[in-house]
């Protein structure tokens, strides 16, 4: 028998069919992508984190000529939120990725390192983080980002 991992998600066929609160958070991520510093990859990612109290923190990828010194949009947004509001849970994280090479937005999922950070913030707050993954053709909503990283690293209890 083949084992399969099934990730629960909802697909919306268009941005306009989304509820207003999701649309507005995705718009923040799209705007943030326009401020990304991505001269090396030309891949401009924006992320917007909405906290339980409604505050929104945005981030975008910050690259560097010493490549590993750069950071993904998701972690820039999450760390900014956590630096300023360490005790307020992040509830939703929207991600928008624009490839300047083909001048289009593409649906992008968080990299492994970002998944690890998301997993820890979820564990710390006790609330699952919902992901909103944007593309012009469809929006994918993943209700519990923890599903993206089974067996996330943690210190043995
Ligand atoms: N990047 C992100 O910002 N988020 C991701 O989830 C994956 C990749 C950035 C890192 C780098 O600046 C560029 O996209 C190409 O990998």
């Amino acid at each position: 028998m083949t084992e399969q991992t099934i990730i629960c998600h909802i697909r919306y066929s268009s941005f306009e069919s989304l509820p207003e609160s999701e649309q507005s958070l995705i718009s923040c991520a799209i705007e943030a992508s326009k401020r990304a510093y991505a001269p090396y990859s030309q891949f401009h990612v924006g992320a917007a984190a909405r906290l339980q109290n409604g505050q929104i923190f945005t981030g975008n990828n910050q690259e560097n000529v010493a490549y590993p010194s750069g950071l993904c949009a998701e972690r820039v947004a999450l760390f900014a939120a956590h630096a300023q509001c360490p005790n307020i849970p992040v509830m939703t994280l929207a991600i928008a990725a624009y490839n300047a090479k083909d001048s289009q937005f593409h649906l992008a999922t968080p990299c492994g390192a970002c998944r690890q950070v998301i997993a820890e913030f979820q564990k710390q707050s006790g609330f699952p983080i919902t992901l909103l993954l944007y593309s012009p053709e469809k929006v994918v909503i993943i209700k519990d980002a923890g599903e993206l990283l089974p067996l996330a690293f943690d210190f043995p209890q």
Side-chain angles (χ1 to χ4, degrees), residues 38 41 43 45 61 63 71-74 109-111 114:
S41 71
F43 197 62
V45 187
N61 50 331
E63 298 185 350
L71 198 62
C72 293
E74 296 90 327
T109 56
C111 78
C114 290

Side-chain angles (χ1 to χ4, degrees), residues 84-139:
Q84 289 165 84
C85 303
N87 299 315
I88 304 176
V90 174
M91 304 305 286
T92 314
L93 181 68
I95 301 164
Y98 177 83
N99 189 345
K101 291 177 185 161
D102 64 9
S103 306
Q104 286 185 30
F105 279 91
H106 296 271
L107 195 136
T109 56
C111 78
C114 290
R115 293 178 195 203
Q116 178 71 35
V117 169
I118 290 168
E120 180 150 338
F121 283 1
Q122 289 198 162
K123 188 179 172 212
Q124 185 220 13
S125 74
F127 289 93
I129 295 175
T130 295
L131 294 182
L132 309 179
L133 309 177
Y134 169 76
S135 76
E137 298 77 33
K138 65 170 184 268
V139 174

